[in-house]
Amino acid sequence: MVPFPASLLPAAVPLLLIILLVAVEPQAAYADDTDGDRDRMRYSRVFAFGNSLTDTGNAAVFPVTAGGPFTMPPYGETFFGHPSGRASNGRLIVDFLVEGLKVPQPTPYLTGRTAADFLNGTNFAVGGATALDPAFLASKGIMSFVPISLSNETSWFENVVRLLKSSSDYDQHRKTMASSVFYVGEIGVNDYFFALSNNSVNVAASLVPHVVGAIRSALTIMIAAGARTVAVSGMLPIGCEPQQLALFPGGPGDYDPATGCIARFNELAELHNLALKRMLGELRLAYPGRSLLYADIYRPVVSAVASPASYGFGDTPLAACCGGGGGPYNFNFSTFCATPGSTACADPSKFVSWDGIHFTEAANRFITRDMLKRLL
């Protein structure tokens, strides 16, 4: 999370939300298929990409974002008991994924150095990261606050691949990639939020093919490196974000009557998800034998907001647990979570949103549930 200057707060953009429910059955990971003899093996590690919804420590040491609110209490209070570099009160989707697969916690890329540091998995996600390069966004008149994009993360991944190759033989490296789950957490929401900060849904919508194209380029790099199982998160319902709801108040016709979310922002998310599904279908045809999963976070979040009691949440699903400002969304940048004047709710498990931008641990657990059922 980036602490924005006060003069930029009205136009500030979220650092990221959440991730995932898998809608397609994955194929199993295999140790070797040289002679058509595929021996099923359990997954051994996770390589993760994305933004603050997936970051487990990179932004905490990256100079631009180090020392941000997420590095201070009450972040981490529910599970870790202290700030852990995660933008939540506890665990993220990637943490529940790792726990469910019974694999090691991946090393945040910026905290590792050697092949041994990365052999058990690597997390390349950085809070505030965009799908598109800052220079491209600038050409559209859009300013990003964190100079990290998906292309930077895939370059880091290629660095790790070179390190791992140098420390093992060909067959062993091939098995390493084949037995890994590649998790591409939600990416692109920051691009859209920056565009929406000027209240331009049309500009944000014009980015969709470029954002999906950036994800496609990243996936082809992973596949070329030997990835067999990839879970790609779709876009969250942008119009259900407490931040967006607080920043862009509208008239009755602007809101979905079933959820109270901003309808035109959710239509943008649906446009993204449609394009992402189409792209994944094309890659499945181009790369048979790979399991490319669409991880749906849109529907679970909308379901939780529309019927919170049905899923164990409280009666204010559009409000932030931690922050200030009161009202239906409890969000104001001047009292953002962990800053002076902010407070945290007594029971985060009853909230979907932790700080108005990121999910609570309870929401992350809920979102991950179906994905794990399909991967295990």
Side-chain angles (χ1 to χ4, degrees), residues 276-363:
L276 182 63
K277 291 176 189 177
R278 184 181 300 116
M279 180 271 286
L280 288 174
E282 293 170 354
L283 287 185
R284 291 185 192 108
L285 292 175
Y287 298 100
R290 267 65 174 184
S291 184
L292 301 171
L293 314 175
Y294 172 73
D296 184 7
I297 63 172
Y298 184 94
R299 287 181 295 175
V301 175
V302 167
S303 296
V305 169
S307 303
S310 299
Y311 303 101
F313 297 103
D315 58 3
T316 56
L318 295 177
C321 167
C322 181
Y329 313 121
N330 192 37
F331 184 89
N332 190 309
F333 270 116
S334 65
T335 51
F336 191 81
C337 184
T339 64
S342 68
T343 59
C345 65
D347 187 359
S349 71
K350 296 300 182 182
F351 284 73
V352 175
S353 178
W354 166 242
D355 56 16
I357 295 174
H358 309 92
F359 292 136
T360 60
E361 175 176 287

Side-chain angles (χ1 to χ4, degrees), residues 147-202:
I148 296 296
S149 66
L150 187 54
S151 66
N152 295 112
E153 295 181 19
T154 51
S155 292
W156 294 345
F157 167 65
E158 290 176 310
N159 291 341
V160 167
V161 168
R162 283 190 287 270
L163 276 175
L164 296 179
K165 280 184 175 179
S166 68
S167 64
S168 64
D169 59 32
Y170 174 81
D171 286 339
Q172 183 58 47
H173 178 73
R174 187 183 182 196
K175 292 176 182 179
T176 296
M177 294 294 106
S179 65
S180 302
V181 172
F182 287 73
Y183 171 56
V184 182
E186 188 284 313
I187 191 78
V189 73
N190 284 334
D191 306 65
Y192 299 141
F193 284 162
F194 288 131
L196 292 174
S197 66
N198 295 320
N199 204 20
S200 176
V201 177
N202 289 338

Side-chain angles (χ1 to χ4, degrees), residues 14-360:
L15 290 185
L16 261 346
L17 281 115
I18 327 184
I19 307 179
L20 201 82
L21 271 164
V22 176
V24 185
E25 288 290 343
Q27 299 174 9
Y30 296 98
D32 189 22
D33 62 355
T34 304
D35 299 312
D37 181 22
R38 295 181 171 184
D39 298 318
R40 181 189 292 267
M41 64 183 298
R42 76 193 286 293
Y43 298 113
S44 300
R45 67 192 58 75
V46 169
F47 291 107
F49 305 78
N51 49 46
S52 57
L53 295 180
T54 307
D55 185 1
T56 57
N58 286 313
V61 298
F62 186 58
V64 175
T65 50
F70 63 93
T71 65
M72 298 180 285
Y75 284 85
E77 67 173 14
T78 296
F79 183 79
F80 300 97
H82 57 82
S84 67
R86 293 162 173 82
S88 180
N89 62 305
R91 288 165 289 185
L92 307 180
I93 289 170
V94 67
D95 293 308
F96 289 113
L97 174 62
V98 164
E99 291 173 15
L101 296 176
K102 295 181 173 57
V103 299
Q105 183 69 233
T107 301
Y109 175 75
L110 295 178
T111 68
R113 290 180 178 275
T114 68
D117 295 328
F118 303 125
L119 180 59
N120 289 325
T122 313
N123 191 334
F124 303 96
V126 179
T130 53
L132 299 170
D133 293 339
F136 180 87
L137 292 172
S139 73
K140 302 291 184 180
I142 300 170
M143 178 186 299
S144 61
F145 292 93
V146 177
I148 296 296
S149 66
L150 187 54
S151 66
N152 295 112
E153 295 181 19
T154 51
S155 292
W156 294 345
F157 167 65
E158 290 176 310
N159 291 341
V160 167
V161 168
R162 283 190 287 270
L163 276 175
L164 296 179
K165 280 184 175 179
S166 68
S167 64
S168 64
D169 59 32
Y170 174 81
D171 286 339
Q172 183 58 47
H173 178 73
R174 187 183 182 196
K175 292 176 182 179
T176 296
M177 294 294 106
S179 65
S180 302
V181 172
F182 287 73
Y183 171 56
V184 182
E186 188 284 313
I187 191 78
V189 73
N190 284 334
D191 306 65
Y192 299 141
F193 284 162
F194 288 131
L196 292 174
S197 66
N198 295 320
N199 204 20
S200 176
V201 177
N202 289 338
V203 172
S206 73
L207 297 179
V208 168
H210 301 288
V211 168
V212 172
I215 296 171
R216 180 179 187 136
S217 294
L219 295 178
T220 58
I221 290 172
M222 297 173 207
I223 292 169
R228 285 187 172 275
T229 304
V230 187
V232 185
S233 175
M235 183 56 54
L236 54 96
I238 298 171
C240 299
E241 261 272 83
Q243 181 204 40
Q244 299 300 299
L245 286 158
L247 290 179
F248 301 105
D254 293 325
Y255 302 99
D256 180 345
T259 60
C261 303
I262 301 172
R264 68 187 186 280
F265 288 3
N266 278 358
E267 289 170 1
L268 169 64
E270 291 172 352
L271 180 67
H272 171 98
N273 289 337
L274 181 63
L276 182 63
K277 291 176 189 177
R278 184 181 300 116
M279 180 271 286
L280 288 174
E282 293 170 354
L283 287 185
R284 291 185 192 108
L285 292 175
Y287 298 100
R290 267 65 174 184
S291 184
L292 301 171
L293 314 175
Y294 172 73
D296 184 7
I297 63 172
Y298 184 94
R299 287 181 295 175
V301 175
V302 167
S303 296
V305 169
S307 303
S310 299
Y311 303 101
F313 297 103
D315 58 3
T316 56
L318 295 177
C321 167
C322 181
Y329 313 121
N330 192 37
F331 184 89
N332 190 309
F333 270 116
S334 65
T335 51
F336 191 81
C337 184
T339 64
S342 68
T343 59
C345 65
D347 187 359
S349 71
K350 296 300 182 182
F351 284 73
V352 175
S353 178
W354 166 242
D355 56 16
I357 295 174
H358 309 92
F359 292 136
T360 60

